[in-house]
């Protein structure tokens, strides 16, 4: 019984320290690459800590093992100038049948077996089933 009380007490202490030492949550705006200047008025609000931007894999890896991060660097520099943070999301799934934004070699090289698998989305009652692609993991 004493051991259980000690373990419970230690757990509550650790939990309390985590809450005291935590930071205030921040709001982020979600957008696609290339849309930053169009939403600058939102980004510069005091309650916005930064922006989550979706980058598709194909735009960053132009061919096998050849990377171009210039668009991320441009967005990071812009957000840094506004004193905002950048949260990067690498897109590996797509919600439209024609969207296959992964590097060409992943689609064509035999070792990747086509690179994509179909995905389906059930958006809710009385709405049509959506479909697109997910990168094979």
């Amino acid at each position: 019984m004493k051991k259980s009380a000690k373990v419970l007490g230690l757990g509550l202490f650790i939990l309390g320290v985590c809450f005291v030492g935590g930071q205030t949550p921040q709001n982020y705006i979600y957008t696609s690459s290339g849309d930053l200047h169009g939403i600058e008025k939102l980004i510069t609000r005091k309650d916005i800590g930064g922006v989550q931007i979706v980058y598709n894999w194909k735009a960053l890896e132009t061919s096998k093992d050849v990377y171009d991060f210039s668009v991320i660097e441009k967005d990071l520099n812009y957000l840094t100038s506004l004193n905002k943070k950048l949260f990067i999301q690498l897109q590996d799934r797509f919600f439209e049948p024609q969207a296959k934004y992964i590097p060409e070699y992943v689609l064509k090289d035999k070792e990747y077996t086509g690179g994509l698998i179909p995905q389906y989305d059930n958006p809710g009652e009385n709405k049509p089933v959506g479909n697109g692609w997910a990168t094979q993991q």
Side-chain angles (χ1 to χ4, degrees), residues 41-96:
K41 200 171 198 173
L42 290 172
I43 296 170
T44 55
R45 287 180 9 188
K46 289 183 182 182
D47 63 322
I48 301 299
V51 180
Q52 176 181 349
I53 301 178
V54 179
Y55 299 95
N56 74 59
W57 181 5
K58 187 175 185 174
L60 301 176
E61 187 177 12
T62 55
S63 59
K64 189 168 187 168
D65 298 327
V66 177
Y67 300 94
D68 179 3
F69 298 120
S70 60
V71 67
I72 293 175
E73 291 167 351
K74 179 182 169 191
D75 291 343
L76 179 60
N77 289 335
Y78 175 68
L79 290 169
T80 301
S81 76
L82 298 175
N83 199 28
K84 302 296 178 175
K85 296 176 183 172
L86 172 61
F87 181 107
I88 295 173
Q89 177 181 335
L90 180 60
Q91 185 179 32
D92 70 340
R93 55 201 67 233
F94 313 97
F95 303 97
E96 299 170 349

Side-chain angles (χ1 to χ4, degrees), residues 112-126:
Y112 303 108
T113 62
L116 295 171
I117 56 171
Q119 76 167 3
Y120 300 94
D121 178 38
N122 184 355
E125 193 172 324
N126 298 321

